[in-house]
Amino acid sequence: MIQAIRGLQWLSRLVGACELTLGLVIWFVGVSSVSLHILLGSVMALILLIVGAIALPVKETRSLGAIGILYAFILTGFGMVQMGLLIGPLHWLVQVLHLLIGVGSIAVVHLIGARYLKLKKVSRPAPLESADIPQSTPVAASDEA
Ligand code: HEM
């Protein structure tokens, strides 16, 4: 699970950067890459769902896991309806909100992942004491001997 979380954190960074670039291109250049943007946005929502589902059974990360799952629905829900909201001179408010929710999704994946990884690292058994490990090389004689 630790490897899965690390991989998903890495993937969310990649997908998030592509999403941000595509979104800004849609916004300022007006090039229509909306279908690809929605597809990658769905991948981001899937990452949130998986990370949330991994965190959910662990008591200490349960609420964060639930937030991750809820966030996946907010991300896709708002992404799908935003075009019809506040049509007119105030539509930029909706666009900024969508941008913030989008960037927030990267942060949520990282927050859940960081908490989960910290917890799993702490709960791992401590490494053996050096005294327990047999010495393979003789200890060098001190100068006083
Ligand atoms: C990491 C996640 C995301 C980021 C960073 C992001 C960012 C952006 C930005 C900056 C824009 C241009 C401003 C705007 O029109 O709102 C945009 C447009 C758009 N986004 Fe996203 N977005 C993300 C996820 C999603 C998702 C999950 C969906 C839908 C399921 C979606 C649907 C759309 C649509 C339809 C547009 C075009 C709106 C228009 O033409 O007016 N986005 N996105």
Side-chain angles (χ1 to χ4, degrees):
M1 282 304 173
I2 288 176
Q3 288 306 316
I5 289 283
R6 285 210 183 106
L8 289 165
Q9 281 184 320
W10 180 84
L11 192 64
S12 75
R13 252 179 256 146
L14 187 73
V15 173
C18 293
E19 276 294 81
L20 192 58
T21 312
L22 277 175
L24 293 176
V25 166
I26 295 169
W27 198 352
F28 294 109
V29 186
V31 178
S32 184
S33 42
V34 176
S35 332
L36 178 61
H37 180 80
I38 292 177
L39 183 75
L40 285 177
S42 310
V43 173
M44 183 59 106
L46 199 64
I47 295 172
L48 277 164
L49 286 176
I50 298 171
V51 170
I54 292 174
L56 208 57
V58 182
K59 195 178 143 234
E60 291 86 345
T61 53
R62 185 159 298 148
S63 36
L64 275 179
I67 289 172
I69 291 169
L70 185 70
Y71 206 99
F73 288 103
I74 294 171
L75 179 72
T76 40
F78 194 74
M80 295 312 281
V81 299
Q82 53 137 349
M83 275 189 285
L85 299 175
L86 275 184
I87 304 287
L90 287 180
H91 185 66
W92 65 270
L93 284 173
V94 176
Q95 291 177 303
V96 170
L97 188 58
H98 174 65
L99 170 67
L100 292 178
I101 293 173
V103 173
S105 66
I106 309 169
V108 171
V109 170
H110 279 267
L111 192 70
I112 301 171
R115 182 82 185 89
Y116 185 88
L117 291 177
K118 193 177 167 198
L119 194 79
K120 290 292 163 184
K121 275 182 195 157
V122 169
S123 60
R124 260 193 212 165
L128 287 172
E129 290 288 319
S130 57
D132 297 337
I133 303 167
Q135 299 283 327
S136 53
T137 51
V139 179
S142 74
D143 290 338
E144 289 164 21

